[in-house]
Amino acid sequence: MDNITALGGDVYEIDTRMAGHSGITAGYLILADRPCLVETGTSTSAPVVRDALTSLGVGPDDLATVVVTHIHLDHAGGVGDIAGFYPQAEIVVHEKGARHLADPSRLMASARMVWGDKLDTLFGELSPTESARIRALGDTGAVDLGNGRTLNSHYSPGHAKHHVGLIDSGTGDLYVGDAAGVYLPETGDLRPATPPPDFDLQAALDSIGLFEALGPQRLLFSHYGPVTDVEETLGRSAEELRVWVDLTRQAHSEGMDLDHAVAMVMERTRERYAALKADDATAEQFELLSGAPSNVAGILHWLNRIQP
């Protein structure tokens, strides 16, 4: 299948094709003794993911574990559907996200407030998962991949208060979710992901520091794909956060409303990203993943919290 890429170490990247787009949302299958899916993608992506797993030889009773880095709908919107397709799989999530997978009503209501009519085309509906099948992680935890191989989770808030990074003891791969930002392989651009309501600068920087301390061999971005230049990339992640926060703070201190702050930050950061100078489709893809309005709104929300 053309949406599967073998990454070595029994790891397969699956393009989950969010809203039909290629190259913006990735799930990963670790085809170990106890197969594990990291990130489900959206609800509308669930059949795409199932077909990919089937083509890799993983049948309905073969998937041992499904882990999500956090419960935003582009990462975990398909959990309920995937849980239905794979009745033996344990669903693993940070404890601050677990109740929302069991009862998604509040999460879906707030997502609908943000996205409106776009919600159905972009994400679809997160279906509930039986709470007995959900394992909630604390600050650290481990997923058994079989044969002594484990996927170790590390609490990494800043982007979301229910976010974990996951490191594979077999490969040294670190699944970074959104905590290191959004990476666009076509252009090599990296941009922060700082949406409301959970963004917190110090927590986000601490999480990047934690990722550095784990000494990963490779970063696997949910948006999008593998990066081997670990140290430089995590350094850029931290730098990007600081740039966006400094500019938004300036707009905030000048009393700008959201629209003016967004326009100012977009203008001042435009030169940083090749994607915005590329064709319209690439620029649009980048905005969909890490939109300036969402990023600036998240930073303003945090600034209002710390400087009421």
Side-chain angles (χ1 to χ4, degrees), residues 90-93 98-99 101-103 129-136:
E90 181 178 58
I91 312 301
V92 180
V93 63
R99 67 193 172 96
L101 295 186
D103 176 7
T129 299
E130 286 167 69
S131 52
R133 292 183 58 190
I134 298 170
R135 175 152 69 98

Side-chain angles (χ1 to χ4, degrees), residues 200-279:
D200 180 286
L201 178 63
Q202 196 53 54
L205 291 171
D206 289 348
S207 291
I208 291 168
L210 169 67
F211 287 176
E212 288 172 332
L214 291 171
Q217 296 298 304
R218 183 165 62 172
L219 306 174
L220 297 183
F221 281 84
S222 302
H223 319 284
Y224 182 91
V227 175
T228 49
D229 207 339
V230 172
E231 220 167 289
E232 190 212 350
T233 304
L234 291 175
R236 273 174 66 200
S237 297
E239 181 193 355
E240 286 288 327
L241 279 169
R242 290 193 179 96
V243 166
W244 280 69
V245 166
D246 287 350
L247 288 170
T248 305
R249 190 182 261 131
Q250 188 183 327
H252 184 250
S253 68
E254 290 171 21
M256 288 186 194
D257 63 14
L258 177 62
D259 290 348
H260 285 93
V262 168
M264 188 268 267
V265 174
M266 280 185 82
E267 189 185 325
R268 300 272 182 94
T269 55
R270 187 172 299 281
E271 288 306 306
R272 298 180 72 81
Y273 311 115
L276 300 183
K277 304 177 201 122
D279 56 283

Side-chain angles (χ1 to χ4, degrees), residues 124-204:
E125 188 84 19
L126 171 59
S127 304
T129 299
E130 286 167 69
S131 52
R133 292 183 58 190
I134 298 170
R135 175 152 69 98
L137 298 166
D139 284 356
T140 57
V143 171
D144 178 15
L145 301 173
N147 253 352
R149 183 175 177 179
T150 53
L151 189 63
N152 297 300
S153 77
H154 295 268
Y155 185 46
S156 44
H159 168 79
K161 64 176 185 287
H162 39 71
H163 195 291
V164 296
L166 303 152
I167 192 159
D168 182 338
S169 70
T171 57
D173 286 331
L174 178 63
Y175 296 85
V176 292
D178 284 350
V182 162
Y183 177 75
L184 201 61
E186 292 89 339
T187 56
D189 284 320
L190 184 68
R191 194 181 201 179
T194 60
D198 293 348
F199 173 68
D200 180 286
L201 178 63
Q202 196 53 54

